[in-house]
Amino acid sequence: MSPSLPNRRDILVAAACLPLAARGQGAWPAKAVRIVVPFAAGGTTDILARALAPELQGAFGQAFVIENRPGAGGNTGAAEVAKAAPDGHTLLMGTVGTHAINPSLYSRMPYDHVKDFVPVTLVAGVPNVLVLNPANAQKAGIGSVPDLIRYARANPGKLNMASSGNGTSIHLAGELFKAMTGTFMLHLPYGGSAPALIDLIAGNTDLMFDNLPSSLQHIRSGRLKALAVTSSTRSAALPDLPTVEEAGGAALKGFEASSWFGLLAPAGTPTDIVDRVQVASAKALATPVMKERLLAQGAIPSGITSAEFARHIAAETAKWARVVKASGAKVD
């Protein structure tokens, strides 16, 4: 006699006994995945997100759509992701600002940068670069970092310093520079690096400590004058450009203010999904084509695990808390 077929109740019970990871396997992504960029289009955060999205789309067979949500130094977009459903269909391209600087810089935060997120992977590290409007620099006689220090000290408040927003590494690099050199320059925050660069190139502002990838093409074309990179070592993309510490001498000894960018998901997102995105991202970032593309733009690709990224965020939070205190910067 042939065995009887399982009834509906038997099937449901068997399904309920399956491990959660097994039941979730293959169910994600069930629709397009949003990658929220908490800054305006055209900046480094946006550039990196748009470089990685097609690779993830190819790996998972669903669209990975970039959504720009600028505001409050990245806090607006990050807060939106913190409140999103933890189903793997909303990710954040977080930054050193949203997940290391802002917790010390802002007296009130719309999210908890640790409890409200699960780190996925560090995408890339990026030095900032001190760039000036060439015409404005020439009028002021600024051709080097020492020239800038001398002019700023002699003309407090005459120079204005653009940034991609309050609390970003671009802003804080400038505040640290001011604190270490005893200078005052007026800070002009924008909703992202791209709109700040537009005004800088037009001559409406004087200088900026921009992320290298978004300024690099303008440096090479001559529309911006670069004085130094903010990292502890020179950048492979501009090997002849000194570091701020090298160029500034004793006044800027120990100066270092680089940026980083990484994917994060809302807290509660299944570990299986986080691991799959991390593995796919690491694989994409390790390809010769992607590595060459990012390095040429001044970015250093990563792809570390979720646990490693969590440790990186913790270390960076402690480091930038010291920098914020030393600079005296605050945003209320």
Side-chain angles (χ1 to χ4, degrees):
M1 188 168 66
S2 60
S4 60
L5 294 174
N7 61 32
R8 182 174 180 273
R9 180 180 177 280
D10 293 333
I11 294 172
L12 291 176
V13 169
C17 292
L18 284 173
L20 286 175
R23 278 184 274 158
Q25 191 72 257
W28 177 91
K31 58 183 178 180
V33 177
R34 294 192 306 149
I35 300 180
V36 174
V37 171
F39 297 98
T44 301
T45 318
D46 186 70
I47 290 170
L48 292 173
R50 293 182 189 277
L52 186 57
E55 304 297 323
L56 296 177
Q57 181 170 319
F60 296 112
Q62 282 281 7
F64 278 68
V65 181
I66 307 302
E67 293 190 9
N68 297 91
R69 295 285 188 268
N75 283 352
T76 300
E80 180 179 324
V81 175
K83 298 178 178 72
D87 59 5
H89 291 98
T90 302
L91 302 173
L92 173 72
M93 182 61 83
T95 70
V96 63
T98 62
H99 279 76
I101 296 174
N102 290 2
S104 294
L105 194 68
Y106 284 79
S107 58
R108 287 182 292 182
M109 289 283 287
Y111 57 88
D112 185 305
H113 77 296
V114 175
K115 294 180 181 178
D116 291 342
F117 295 89
V118 55
V120 178
T121 190
L122 178 67
V123 174
V126 174
N128 292 347
V129 59
L130 171 54
V131 287
L132 288 77
N133 175 276
N136 292 359
Q138 186 174 20
K139 288 177 187 176
I142 301 172
S144 66
V145 171
D147 288 343
L148 173 59
I149 296 171
R150 283 193 294 269
Y151 184 88
R153 285 175 175 168
N155 300 275
K158 192 168 183 180
L159 292 173
N160 49 54
M161 179 184 77
S163 85
S164 55
N166 287 318
T168 61
S169 70
I170 293 173
H171 167 212
L172 206 57
E175 294 296 338
L176 183 61
F177 183 92
K178 288 158 59 176
M180 292 181 73
T181 57
T183 57
F184 173 71
M185 297 178 282
L186 182 65
H187 174 223
L188 301 177
Y190 288 75
S193 181
L197 284 173
I198 290 171
D199 264 9
L200 180 59
I201 292 168
N204 298 326
T205 60
D206 297 309
L207 60 94
M208 183 175 175
F209 287 80
D210 191 31
N211 298 146
L212 182 53
S214 50
S215 274
L216 189 57
Q217 62 176 321
H218 304 302
I219 295 169
R220 288 172 172 163
S221 70
R223 286 179 287 184
L224 290 177
K225 180 178 181 62
L227 297 186
V229 290
T230 65
S231 48
S232 58
T233 58
R234 295 191 181 198
S235 168
L238 293 170
D240 295 330
L241 197 66
T243 67
V244 169
E245 182 178 25
E246 282 182 289
L252 289 163
K253 184 172 177 58
F255 186 98
E256 198 276 331
S258 297
S259 300
W260 50 259
F261 308 82
L263 288 177
L264 299 105
T269 299
T271 301
D272 172 62
I273 294 174
V274 171
D275 290 345
R276 290 169 66 190
V277 176
Q278 184 273 321
V279 169
S281 299
K283 183 177 179 181
L285 292 166
T287 62
V289 172
M290 181 70 86
K291 286 176 70 175
E292 183 178 347
R293 177 181 176 184
L294 295 187
L295 288 170
Q297 293 177 327
I300 302 168
S302 180
I304 58 178
T305 66
S306 174
E308 290 169 330
F309 190 22
R311 289 193 290 271
H312 180 74
I313 290 172
E316 285 285 287
T317 300
K319 167 193 161 182
W320 282 100
R322 295 190 295 269
V323 174
V324 168
K325 184 177 180 180
S327 72
K330 274 292 175 187
V331 177
D332 294 313

